[in-house]
Amino acid sequence: MLHSLSAIQQYRQAEVPYTVSQRWLNILVSAEERIVNLERVQTLQELNDANPVLDYVERTLRILDQLRVSFWLRDIVEETLCWAETAKGGSTRERMRWQQQGINLFVHNEGSALLYERDAAEPDDARTILVATLIRTHGLLGQFLRGEVPFRDNLPLAEIVAQGILSPEELKSTLLVLNRCIIEAVSPELWQRVRDEMSTLIHAVTYGEQPQGMGIEDRIMRLRTGSEARGENTLELLQQLRQPARLDQVFMMLDNRTFWYVEAALQDFSLEEFCKIFGLLAAAVPEQVRHISFERLMNDLYYDYRGIKKINLYKKRIIEKYLSEWSWDDVHAGQRQQRNPHLEYGLLIDGQLQDTAFFTFQFSPAAEKLIDFCVEAEKSPLYEKAVLMLFDLFDLRRDAYDRFHNEDSYLQTMNETVDYKRLLLRYVTGQTVLDIGPGGGVMLDLLEQEMPDKRAIGIDISENVIEALRRKKRLEHHSWEVMKGDALALKEIMELGSVDSILFSSILHELYSYIPFNGQKFNLDTVAAALTSAYDVLAPGGRIIIRDGIMTEPTVQQRKITFLEEGGLAALERYARDFRGREIAYEVLDEQTVLLPVNDAMEFLYTYTWGEEAYVHEVQEQFGYMTPSRYKEFIVQTLGDGIEIEHVESFLQQGYTEALQPRVKITDEWDTPVPLPDSTCIIVIRKKG
């Protein structure tokens, strides 16, 4: 076993505080601040419960220990690996002192090399020079493959050969072993994927050659590897943006800079947003800056949600809106006319590290506190108020940014409604079909599978949904399309009379509930605007197909609810206080039983079924807001004589009875058990012509 592994093992097995004699190990184990690439952890709790840097160093050493290499090579690589991450260690006091002494702890390879040289007994001998150079270039070949480092930063390695410290073949062997250890310790699969390309790069470094694929387009593609793997069509989008974004000019200005943590910080942003950020960098970065770090932005964008590392969508959506307000001319000038006082981009330079700049987005103290409040309020009735205040502060549209923290589970829920959505296919006509509010893409998939001759288009105003669907389309090779658009203004994205079928699958009640049309939510004018918008782009003979919640009739019926579990009555009382769609009237008969109108009972039960996790969202929605007969009257009043209602049916959505059976007993006012009424309708409207 390597001496370094033995030292780590003794430290880990010590039952009492263990005196570490090796300086590199003492630095790593004394770390009070966990400095690690957040790409590599699944939960931020790991940073509290472990020392990720020491764990990683140990993994690199274990890989080296298993390789059959010569003694001298093993010795050189072992010493390099032991010291290569030391700039991420040290106590808080030590780190402050190092920075005062000019050691760059934010460019970890350079900082670690300086720490090694300071500790070396003979700093000028060939072995020390070799190890220090290997530490200083540690990981840079891998960073070049990621696009974060220009190839020229590896050229100091060629000096090892020029000075006669190693022969070309000895350097090639050393670099191959070293890079295998540091990459395979991240992921064995990653090493297998890049091994051949790494061998080519090592040959180029050793002999001072220039490798292929060093152009601007190649570097951007490398920086977007993670985004490409998640469904972004980077090359196609790059061609569209290259001219307006002046990418050749921008990246020529940044050509000799290194970009640290850029993929971890920006992979969740669109390519256009990515390009605007680099445009701002090119306009602002001083000439003396060689390193640009996104580490602070990366750290600022993640938080723990139920034990899982999640991106802070509150900040992400606000940053997206902020960037959308910059024209390309503004970007290249580095300034814009109108500014939000609560958010600005920043390029921060530490007075002691003039060659390093930190790019981040700076929120005002009020905005930071409000975002923290939203995070804390995610599971409480305060969530709605907290988010609304955030929207007001940054002038965000309410319907475009709903469901911040549970968007993934929401889209999964939408995906589980496939059987109900399939019912709508029988009414689809013509060639072009719009799916309004496509959710997780279930209806789009059904149209593609069962009606492959149709042109299926998903329309949504939610950034979350659009992003997810674009990734899904590319990864799963779908033919359907997706567009960002407003259901109330379809003619802004579609030509009048160009659409044959328009699907509103369980979306009209959300528009009714969420959009403050003319300043008022829970407004039938919103539904009227959506239907009129659809009618405008519908071709003669085309159909509007609605699947949505309904109220039952006669509306005067009463229902008794007897709660079979603790907290049921309190849940109703809370719901009646929080619900804003209409007044929920109820009479308490005893501590477990209430009497209330049938539609008030059903509206409460729809939310009660989903449970506490979904409460803060479901309480905002009114699922049933018109009876079937009233729905038909409303459609005729809204669209006039130009339409014909071809089909109306209603049914109880499967699952409600089964979910509620162990939780409540439902009877009429005379204690006779009764089934749940119909919850959902399908209405088909044809445009005459």
Side-chain angles (χ1 to χ4, degrees), residues 4 24-25 28 57 61 77-86:
S4 54
W24 61 269
L25 183 55
L28 292 179
V57 170
L61 292 166
V77 173
E78 179 182 13
E79 189 159 1
T80 301
L81 293 174
C82 287
W83 281 90
E85 302 289 334
T86 49

Side-chain angles (χ1 to χ4, degrees), residues 121-134:
E122 299 181 52
D124 296 327
D125 76 344
R127 187 179 188 282
T128 301
I129 293 172
L130 171 59
V131 173
T133 304
L134 291 174

Side-chain angles (χ1 to χ4, degrees), residues 144-279:
F144 169 75
L145 291 180
R146 291 167 60 104
E148 297 185 342
V149 171
F151 185 73
R152 67 174 64 90
D153 280 26
N154 291 284
L155 295 183
L157 291 166
E159 289 297 310
I160 299 297
V161 175
Q163 295 175 26
I165 296 175
L166 292 182
S167 70
E169 289 305 310
E170 288 172 334
L171 180 61
K172 285 174 64 175
S173 299
T174 303
L175 292 179
L176 190 63
V177 170
L178 177 61
N179 281 279
R180 175 175 179 175
C181 291
I182 63 180
I183 295 175
E184 193 170 305
V186 174
S187 164
E189 294 76 21
L190 178 61
W191 169 248
Q192 292 300 319
R193 198 160 61 243
V194 304
R195 181 176 57 183
D196 292 343
E197 191 172 8
M198 183 62 70
S199 297
T200 301
L201 290 178
I202 288 171
H203 179 89
V205 167
T206 301
Y207 292 99
E209 299 172 356
Q210 296 296 309
Q212 298 296 315
M214 292 182 60
I216 290 167
E217 183 177 283
D218 178 77
R219 190 170 188 186
I220 295 173
M221 291 293 294
R222 291 180 186 277
L223 287 168
R224 299 296 289 178
T225 299
S227 305
E228 175 90 7
R230 296 169 57 194
E232 178 182 271
N233 191 342
T234 308
L235 187 59
E236 179 181 316
L237 293 170
L238 195 56
Q239 300 310 315
Q240 298 171 10
L241 289 168
R242 194 159 191 163
Q243 285 301 116
R246 304 180 202 169
L247 292 179
D248 291 358
Q249 175 185 335
V250 165
F251 275 84
M252 281 296 292
M253 294 173 67
L254 298 171
D255 181 55
N256 64 338
R257 269 78 176 211
T258 63
F259 309 132
W260 298 100
Y261 298 103
V262 60
E263 187 174 3
L266 300 183
Q267 64 181 347
D268 286 299
F269 290 92
S270 72
L271 182 63
E272 181 173 355
E273 292 155 356
F274 170 93
C275 291
K276 283 188 174 181
I277 288 171
F278 273 85

